Amino acid sequence: MSTSVLVLGHGEMGRAMDVLLAPRVSLAIWDKFPQPGFNSAVLAAAAPRADVVIFCLPTVPHADVLQELLPLLRRDCLCLSVAKGLDDEGRPVAQILADVLGDRFAHGVLHGPMIAEEIHAGGLAFAQLGHRGPGVVDRVTALFTGTRLKVAPAGDILGINWAVILKNVYTLAFGMADELNLGDNVRGWLAVTALAEMDTLWDEAKRIQETKWEQEAVDEAGREGSKRVVGRCQDRQGTVSRQRINEL
């Protein structure tokens, strides 16, 4: 029996998930404000059938949409998100998922080099899976095996989430430097400064590891965040970082 996947959001990442998954699963896509020509799924009909729900939405509406979905979802439904920002309370999406879903539903985040335009064009993409709940790694691995998205499990859902948020902040700094033509010396200084700041944050996280963060998982999150800073920002021509600035 085909896996039933509900994608929330028909923006760039929602359409990228369509490209990756449509040939393999029973796919429904919902959008609150559908564009002309797009036939959005109806949540009340699609959510109860879903084995997996993938949130391709900004972080801010996650809590409200989750609350709307809760009475509709099957108990074995898996919820995933690709969101990278903070909500109005300063929570990353991993924290929102934990606050709303708790242990009732398995959930996870997918973060990594997943530029939607490249996925649309048939290129490779890579994601780390931060997860909570039984069976998440096996289910997500099976979902994307054979696609152009390569998934690797990570130990700490919250740490991975914060790493990618910080990467987005640093990307803006690189974009500003590129737009001002400050040169490679400034680019190099920014890279070293960003990585040093991340090291400081991970050290502090390890110091308070009696909270939600395991030391090994924090180390892993720091390494992955560092790779994303370099990979996202050190484009020689500054294409990606300038694009982020121009989008503001």
Side-chain angles (χ1 to χ4, degrees):
M1 185 176 179
S2 177
T3 301
S4 178
V5 177
L6 172 60
V7 172
L8 303 179
H10 194 239
E12 290 290 333
M13 280 308 302
R15 293 194 293 274
M17 289 297 165
D18 190 6
V19 169
L20 291 168
L21 296 175
R24 307 165 47 82
V25 304
S26 175
L27 186 69
I29 304 178
W30 169 85
D31 197 278
K32 186 172 184 179
F33 305 106
Q35 296 297 308
F38 170 66
N39 187 22
S40 173
V42 177
L43 278 186
R49 297 196 297 265
D51 299 303
V52 180
V53 176
I54 304 177
F55 285 71
C56 297
L57 302 171
T59 303
V60 170
H62 268 62
D64 288 342
V65 174
L66 280 165
Q67 292 291 356
E68 186 176 353
L69 285 175
L70 279 179
L72 302 174
L73 296 178
R74 301 200 318 260
R75 183 62 185 81
D76 61 350
C77 183
L78 167 63
C79 295
L80 301 173
S81 178
V82 301
K84 300 176 181 179
L86 302 174
D87 71 359
D88 292 337
E89 299 178 23
R91 297 179 298 176
V93 69
Q95 189 63 57
I96 298 169
L97 292 171
D99 288 347
V100 178
L101 300 178
D103 294 324
R104 290 177 292 175
F105 293 90
H107 55 270
V109 296
L110 287 168
H111 295 320
M114 299 165 57
I115 298 174
E117 293 88 343
E118 295 188 11
I119 296 175
H120 296 165
L124 286 170
F126 303 87
Q128 280 216 311
L129 169 65
H131 55 93
R132 180 180 181 186
V136 176
V137 172
D138 289 343
R139 293 176 69 182
V140 176
T141 299
L143 182 64
F144 289 103
T145 294
T147 74
R148 305 292 283 176
L149 177 61
K150 310 305 176 184
V151 178
D156 177 41
I157 182 173
L158 192 58
I160 293 297
N161 205 177
W162 273 110
V164 76
I165 290 169
L166 289 169
K167 179 270 297 179
N168 284 347
V169 174
Y170 300 140
T171 299
L172 293 177
F174 277 85
M176 293 173 189
D178 289 339
E179 286 296 290
L180 294 170
N181 295 315
L182 296 181
D184 285 344
N185 288 339
V186 171
R187 178 186 289 274
W189 176 83
L190 283 172
V192 171
T193 301
L195 296 175
E197 182 175 85
M198 293 183 80
D199 279 343
T200 300
L201 291 171
W202 306 143
D203 288 343
E204 179 65 13
K206 284 186 287 187
R207 188 184 67 79
I208 57 172
Q209 62 181 297
E210 65 273 10
T211 62
K212 295 185 178 181
W213 292 37
E214 297 285 345
Q215 180 167 337
E216 290 184 1
V218 171
D219 286 338
E220 181 178 9
R223 289 193 298 271
E224 291 307 315
S226 299
K227 286 190 284 187
R228 289 181 191 130
V229 168
V230 174
R232 184 75 171 183
C233 299
Q234 285 292 83
D235 168 26
R236 184 67 181 175
Q237 301 302 320
T239 304
V240 174
S241 48
R242 283 200 297 270
Q243 178 183 344
R244 290 300 304 275
I245 294 298
N246 291 332
E247 287 172 353
L248 296 178

